[in-house]
Amino acid sequence: MSDGYVTRAPLIEAGFVPSTDLVEGTFAVARRLGWRRKVDPGLRPGASLTELRRIAKQFAFNAQLPRHDAMSRALEDLLAGNDAASGRLRLETETTNEGTVRWLHVSGRKDLRLQNVPVLHLDATMPVDLVRHYLPRLQIAADIEINAPHQRVTQVVGLPTGKGALLPDDPDPAKAVEATRRRQRFVATVRHLSRGRRTLVITYKRFEGDFTDIPGVETGHFGAVEGLDCWGDVEALFVIGAPRPKTQAVERMAADISGKPVRCAEMFARQSAIRLKGGGRHPISEYVYADAEGEAVRRAVTEAAVVQAIGRGRGVNRTASNPLEVYVILHDTALPMEVDEVAQFSDLEPDAIDKMIGRGLVPQMPTDAARLYRDLFPTREAAKKAYQRAGLSVERGSRLGTSPYREVPIMECPHARVRYQPQGKGQVPRIALVDPVKVPDARAVLEAALGPLALFEALPPAPRVWQLDMFVAVCGAEIPIAPGIASPDTVAAVAALARGRGQSQGEVAEDIGVSASHWSNWRKGRFGLSLAAASRLQAWVHTPRYRERAP
């Protein structure tokens, strides 16, 4: 018999007999006689270590009996069935320095002895097709979609996340450099989106260490987070990639479960779609196996790991006061759940403006930015276009932009204002925002890039004037405030009222007692407000006040 799955025909030709109602088959007899070899070793409590070792060595054959029985049972099932080969018996030839050895690999599964009793099976990630091998009469009584209104799941596509792309085993230096750059992009994006919040990153074991230096970030890896309940209060959760078993492992698992030979050819691309809440679908291309049993195993391993990772944030337990943002960065898998949004990775990762802000010195003029950050802006024109695209205003202390993930409240960061002017004809004074922690000597940094300065001074707090809040007297009483998701009209009215009072959005969030990220998501219609927060916002709206406002 050649290598591969053991086939039935050669066994019949060799004279092995299957079991029938009248005849005990060859391997049924082998099983019965095999268990007769079992001997009571006479092991008793209190035996010395020497005695234990002697007994273990003398009766070591007892440990082999279950394996012999599994082999005989698999052969018995093969002879008695109609399949041409068994998925639980494989012949392999191995050549070593000592010669050639032929192996019979025996595998199997533990059967559930529950066929004749009622069973209630509850499983958050149950692969129905695989479970039916154990419970053939399984019927789905309810397929429940859990409602988690205060958890927002965004699936991020557009960048490969497989182990081969991030952690290649190929010794090619060019591939290693590309993988390093790709990992750095993920780290920069997590740093940018987490912004100091308590954040959990779940990814591959060899990759999680890359995130440990980000403030507020905790990490875990696939296969080691299932069942853990210590991250129920994180504000953001990133799931990067997904485990993908190798083809040989898929074949063996599928054969062990089904008992039939499984041969998975190369994976091929198939069109699929990510399901969106509200009924929409986002098309993607998935790589799958043509073999149904193998694909069921692959999908079960991949999907269960991602769903389990998402569940670590305990989104179902969240309220309006502690919502959860989940980013599943996975470009080629449609999850068995609906997501709130699909985003391109390029819309999330920090651009040149984000990186400049993160370094702690933001000049008013793009020409100065090009000289300060040559790695971010190769030319003055590139800096100018970046400022325009971002809607960056150093004077206003904010940036706009077309992507909701680009909102960076610069003035909520610890930036001070300085005025400076390079020496030379035609130079004019301009302003820069400086983070004194990251840039303790802003003048030295500016002069290193721009040359000697004719002027450098720290600006005092801007003079402020008093402004009567007339908007609330006219419109405040007509703004409808209620718990939950707000209407666009309500959000627009509150924003206009804040502008009329000279308040930033961060100040409004502080006034009503919610985090800046929660307030930002409320304004975008992603999260709602609790009853208490809505009451505080209503009080804020209906309380006319004088407020300082910069001229």
Side-chain angles (χ1 to χ4, degrees):
M1 194 179 298
S2 59
D3 282 359
Y5 292 109
V6 174
T7 54
R8 183 171 184 270
L11 298 176
I12 297 295
E13 292 175 4
F16 294 107
V17 179
S19 295
T20 66
D21 293 339
L22 301 177
V23 178
E24 188 177 25
T26 304
F27 294 107
V29 173
R31 293 184 66 195
R32 177 166 51 80
L33 296 178
W35 283 112
R36 288 186 180 180
R37 297 179 58 214
K38 186 174 181 179
V39 177
D40 183 358
L43 187 61
R44 298 292 182 268
S48 65
L49 180 60
T50 301
E51 180 68 6
L52 291 175
R53 288 174 176 171
R54 182 192 66 78
I55 291 175
K57 182 177 180 180
Q58 180 178 353
F59 297 96
F61 61 85
N62 274 348
Q64 300 172 2
L65 298 180
R67 284 177 285 177
H68 292 168
D69 182 75
M71 176 189 69
S72 297
R73 180 178 176 179
L75 290 166
E76 180 184 8
D77 291 343
L78 176 59
L79 287 177
N82 297 318
D83 294 328
S86 171
R88 299 194 176 109
L89 297 167
R90 291 185 302 276
L91 283 170
E92 294 183 8
T93 301
E94 181 180 349
T95 301
T96 66
N97 294 332
E98 299 177 357
T100 300
V101 180
R102 201 148 195 233
W103 299 90
L104 174 62
H105 290 272
V106 182
S107 59
R109 69 175 198 222
K110 290 185 178 181
D111 287 327
L112 300 177
R113 303 184 183 276
L114 302 172
Q115 285 78 5
N116 299 320
V117 296
V119 176
L120 177 62
H121 185 30
L122 305 176
D123 193 335
T125 59
M126 180 172 66
V128 177
D129 293 337
L130 299 180
V131 173
R132 283 203 170 102
H133 287 294
Y134 297 86
L135 300 172
R137 293 182 293 167
L138 177 70
Q139 295 181 358
I140 304 299
D143 189 1
I144 303 172
E145 288 269 354
I146 301 298
N147 185 28
H150 300 291
Q151 169 182 277
R152 182 174 180 83
V153 180
T154 300
Q155 184 161 347
V156 184
V157 299
L159 191 67
T161 56
K163 268 190 175 181
L166 299 176
L167 304 161
D169 294 324
D170 195 315
D172 185 353
K175 290 184 178 180
V177 170
E178 179 62 28
T180 299
R181 289 175 179 170
R182 190 173 286 123
R183 293 197 304 273
Q184 290 172 346
R185 291 176 67 185
F186 283 112
V187 173
T189 300
V190 170
R191 186 187 301 275
H192 172 60
L193 293 176
S194 62
R195 294 176 189 164
R197 296 179 293 170
R198 189 183 178 204
T199 299
L200 173 62
V201 176
I202 298 177
T203 184
Y204 307 109
K205 184 177 182 179
R206 288 169 52 198
F207 189 24
E208 67 172 311
D210 291 36
F211 300 92
T212 54
D213 291 336
I214 304 177
V217 170
E218 300 171 45
T219 64
H221 59 268
F222 299 116
V225 298
E226 290 79 2
L228 297 184
D229 193 25
C230 52
W231 294 300
D233 59 347
V234 296
E235 297 177 78
L237 168 60
F238 292 83
V239 182
I240 302 176
R244 292 174 173 85
K246 294 183 179 180
T247 298
Q248 186 179 36
V250 169
E251 289 178 340
R252 292 195 173 184
M253 284 189 285
D256 292 348
I257 293 171
S258 67
K260 299 178 180 180
V262 175
R263 297 179 177 86
C264 295
E266 290 294 323
M267 301 179 78
F268 68 95
R270 180 183 70 185
Q271 289 302 307
S272 185
I274 300 170
R275 295 185 295 130
L276 298 170
K277 292 180 181 178
R281 298 173 73 85
H282 181 91
I284 62 168
S285 181
E286 287 187 298
Y287 280 88
V288 300
Y289 290 113
D291 183 90
E293 299 287 353
E295 175 58 18
V297 167
R298 183 206 67 80
R299 185 168 288 279
V301 172
T302 298
E303 292 181 354
V306 176
V307 172
Q308 284 282 349
I310 294 173
R312 296 315 93 207
R314 297 296 188 246
V316 70
N317 296 332
R318 297 308 182 101
T319 65
S321 62
N322 65 337
L324 173 65
E325 284 187 277
V326 179
Y327 296 93
V328 180
I329 307 179
L330 191 60
H331 77 295
D332 59 357
T333 299
L335 299 177
M337 59 184 289
E338 294 179 339
V339 303
D340 294 274
E341 183 181 4
V342 176
Q344 292 293 324
F345 185 82
S346 57
D347 289 337
L348 271 70
E349 65 179 329
D351 59 13
I353 297 296
D354 295 318
K355 294 175 181 177
M356 177 178 66
I357 295 171
R359 294 183 186 181
L361 196 158
V362 184
Q364 177 182 354
M365 292 188 174
T367 52
D368 292 348
R371 297 175 68 180
L372 280 163
Y373 305 108
R374 297 183 185 277
D375 59 322
L376 301 180
F377 310 107
T379 64
R380 290 184 296 175
E381 187 63 26
K384 182 178 179 181
K385 289 182 178 179
Y387 270 57
Q388 291 173 344
R389 284 194 302 268
L392 179 64
S393 172
V394 172
E395 304 96 308
R396 192 174 62 239
S398 65
R399 64 166 295 176
L400 305 175
T402 57
S403 171
Y405 305 101
R406 296 289 182 214
E407 183 177 319
V408 180
I410 307 175
M411 291 305 292
E412 291 181 11
C413 303
H415 285 89
R417 295 194 313 158
V418 300
R419 181 187 288 119
Y420 67 96
Q421 177 183 341
Q423 293 181 4
K425 185 178 180 180
Q427 297 288 354
V428 297
R430 51 266 224 175
I431 295 172
L433 300 178
V434 180
D435 182 344
V437 175
K438 296 179 179 178
V439 187
D441 190 349
R443 177 166 192 155
V445 174
L446 288 168
E447 289 188 327
L450 308 179
L453 298 180
L455 168 68
F456 180 87
E457 61 179 348
L459 293 179
R464 309 181 76 86
V465 298
W466 292 100
Q467 177 185 0
L468 177 62
D469 185 1
M470 296 298 296
F471 184 90
V472 72
V474 177
C475 303
E478 300 179 5
I479 301 177
I481 304 296
I485 302 294
S487 69
D489 289 342
T490 296
V491 172
V494 169
L497 180 56
R499 287 195 297 272
R501 292 177 171 178
Q503 282 189 271
S504 70
Q505 295 300 326
E507 289 171 333
V508 178
E510 184 179 355
D511 281 354
I512 67 170
V514 299
S515 67
S517 62
H518 189 170
W519 181 247
S520 175
N521 280 306
W522 178 83
R523 290 164 50 215
K524 296 170 185 175
R526 294 177 175 177
F527 294 152
L529 291 180
S530 66
L531 178 60
S535 298
R536 292 192 295 270
L537 177 58
Q538 191 171 43
W540 177 87
V541 166
H542 292 91
T543 304
R545 69 184 72 179
Y546 287 91
R547 182 94 183 173
E548 287 184 310
R549 187 182 183 187

